[in-house]
Each structure stands twice: as structure tokens, then as C-alpha cells.
Amino acid sequence: MVHPRTTVEDIEELSSLLQVPLVAGTVNRGSDVLGGGMVVNDWTSFVGLETTSTEISVIESIFRLGARQGQFGTGQSNIVTNMRSSLIDQLT
């Protein structure tokens, strides 16, 4: 994921150099400071409170977070489910 004002030519050049697909996007309701509002690893992502559902959907699809299978093929791991539940409980 790159800054939303990155030109198409720069995205294509970076994509070919890094050998990964790249997409421009935002977090925190349109903020173009990606590193200040998002942390992503192989299993989950954490975003700012102002992040919209559309932005979350884009992040999940880019990093393929919703499609990951657990160790036993049961979908999300228990760790991710527990973390999400506890974060939602704290924020509500």
C-alpha cells in the first residue's frame, strides 16, 4: 500500500522492483499518512479509530487478511478472534 498521491508510473516502477502488487490507499478517514494509522503483519492489522469500513475492506483485501486459513484450516486463528473480541469490548 502506498501514498494515495503516488503516480501510476511510480507505482508500476515500485511494483516491478519489489515484485509485489501495490495499491494506493488511505487510513483514518482519508489520512494519507499510512504509517501513522496502520500496522499490518501476516495475521492481522490494527488501524486508527477513524478508519472507515471501506478502508478496512481495502486493507484486508490487499494483505489478504480475511482469506487466511488457520493452522488446522478453520479460518481465523483463536488468537486473532480473541484479540478482536477484547478490543471491541474495550472500545464499546
Side-chain angles (χ1 to χ4, degrees):
M1 193 166 188
V2 296
H3 190 279
R5 293 190 190 129
T6 305
T7 63
V8 174
E9 294 83 19
D10 288 343
I11 291 174
E12 290 174 358
E13 183 177 351
L14 282 170
S15 182
S16 67
L17 289 172
L18 298 173
Q19 298 296 311
V20 294
L22 296 175
V23 175
T26 61
V27 293
N28 282 335
R29 217 175 276 281
S31 173
D32 51 11
V33 183
L34 298 176
M38 174 178 64
V39 176
V40 179
N41 65 16
D42 291 341
W43 301 281
T44 191
S45 67
F46 294 95
V47 294
L49 289 175
E50 296 295 316
T51 305
T52 64
S53 61
T54 303
E55 291 171 329
I56 291 171
S57 295
V58 170
I59 292 166
E60 286 180 341
S61 68
I62 290 171
F63 295 101
R64 298 185 206 143
L65 297 176
R68 296 218 184 262
Q69 292 273 323
Q71 181 180 2
F72 302 105
T74 58
Q76 290 182 339
S77 69
N78 288 334
I79 295 170
V80 173
T81 304
N82 290 339
M83 282 192 309
R84 180 177 288 153
S85 297
S86 64
L87 283 172
I88 290 171
D89 288 345
Q90 288 179 358
L91 296 174
T92 57

